[in-house]
Amino acid sequence: MPSRLANQWVLITGASSGIGEAAARQFGAAGCHLLLGARRLDKLNAAAAAAKKSGAASAHVHELDVASTPSVEAFVKWVRTLTPRVDVLLNNAGGAHGADTVAEGKDADWVAMVESNLLGLMRVTRAVLPLMLPHQSGTILNIGSIAGRQPYEGGSLYCGVKAAEFAITKSLRLELCGTGLRVGTVDPGLAQTEFAVTRYKGDEARALKTYEGMTPLTGDDIAEALVWAASRPAHVCIDEILLKATDQAAVYKVHRRTGK
Ligand code: 8X3
């Protein structure tokens, strides 16, 4: 059966690794045209090559820093040279910086998290909407987190920006009601990507401990959910998906096998 997504234009932020890279491959396998943005061009080119190999109709890359309004505007100007239409917007760029308590928190970490997870999502959505609204159909998917639903110590600002993402997704759905566009959030629990390495500032050993003795989600698990949500018939909106590893029943309830 031909994919409902075939030949659709899919824009992915943070497409150089993790969930974004997996989504590029899987939307590519569904026959989509890909518009991939991230800061790291070498990794972005590798992601585009993998997506083409998996069957993408085309895969285009351009540097994108969602923390910068000029960068977002330049990215969308470039998109307009390739297509007048975006069918799927995946707001994926973001991540956690540091795991300090509020008492020990660093301004630089807080600013980085607000800029990428929160303002980045707002900037990119504002800039891309004019490429979606005229067509009266399309899907916006935001990457949230279990952290937005269940706060934890050391996560305060990350939990906060993901709770805000949850609220913004709902506001946007209300604002776009009647336009034919649908808006959803896909919220993972523990997923083994570069997420923990970034949170712990490159401390790979500490990052690995996050997943010790349990089987975490992968970027591909989350990409499957994204492709599924985006490929529902146009009249169906998947408002929200919370997906967790089977070993994780809640933020604090993780089954870890000893001796692994
Ligand atoms: C990533 C999941 O639980 O580490 O958003 O915050 S968690």
Side-chain angles (χ1 to χ4, degrees):
M1 199 176 77
S3 159
R4 272 195 202 109
L5 290 169
N7 293 314
Q8 292 205 5
W9 285 85
V10 179
L11 191 161
I12 304 175
T13 69
S16 57
S17 67
I19 298 169
E21 188 273 341
R25 266 187 291 104
Q26 293 201 27
F27 278 102
C32 297
H33 294 279
L34 302 172
L35 302 157
L36 308 177
R39 285 173 302 178
R40 296 172 299 179
L41 268 183
D42 52 337
K43 292 206 165 215
L44 199 55
N45 280 317
K52 273 188 201 146
K53 214 168 150 191
S54 72
S58 65
H60 311 270
V61 304
H62 193 280
E63 194 178 350
L64 171 64
D65 178 3
V66 300
S68 152
T69 297
S71 174
V72 170
E73 284 171 357
F75 183 83
V76 174
K77 197 169 167 199
W78 164 78
V79 168
R80 285 177 185 279
T81 66
L82 296 166
T83 174
R85 171 180 191 141
V86 169
D87 299 287
V88 179
L89 166 61
L90 173 53
N91 279 310
N92 164 69
H97 297 274
D100 296 318
T101 60
V102 174
E104 308 261 302
K106 315 284 182 298
D107 278 44
D109 288 339
W110 292 347
V111 170
M113 285 187 277
V114 170
E115 283 288 349
S116 59
N117 295 279
L118 195 47
L119 298 180
L121 182 155
M122 300 289 284
R123 289 184 184 106
V124 172
T125 305
R126 179 178 63 189
V128 175
L129 273 174
L131 289 159
M132 302 186 81
L133 285 168
H135 311 292
Q136 287 156 32
S137 72
T139 309
I140 298 174
L141 292 172
N142 298 326
I143 296 296
S145 171
I146 190 175
R149 302 178 185 230
Q150 190 181 5
Y152 49 85
E153 299 100 316
S156 56
L157 195 75
Y158 180 69
C159 298
V161 293
K162 289 301 186 181
E165 175 276 336
F166 199 47
I168 291 163
T169 299
K170 290 179 183 170
S171 290
L172 192 59
R173 189 178 306 119
L174 292 166
E175 289 173 9
L176 295 179
C177 183
T179 66
L181 270 68
R182 54 190 179 183
V183 188
T185 181
V186 173
D187 302 353
L190 286 171
Q192 191 160 11
T193 60
E194 285 182 5
F195 175 85
V197 181
T198 305
R199 167 170 268 178
Y200 299 123
K201 322 265 182 197
D203 184 341
E204 303 259 357
R206 193 169 171 204
L208 273 178
K209 264 201 143 342
T210 310
Y211 316 107
E212 199 167 63
M214 57 89 64
T215 307
L217 298 173
T218 64
D220 275 291
D221 296 327
I222 298 149
E224 270 186 32
L226 293 163
V227 168
W228 179 78
S231 59
R232 294 311 84 214
H235 68 285
V236 178
C237 178
I238 305 302
D239 281 12
E240 49 194 82
I241 296 178
L242 173 64
L243 72 165
K244 305 195 292 354
T246 306
D247 283 335
Q248 183 179 29
V251 164
Y252 290 108
K253 177 73 179 172
V254 180
H255 178 69
R256 298 187 192 269
R257 289 159 198 83
T258 50
K260 266 188 105 175

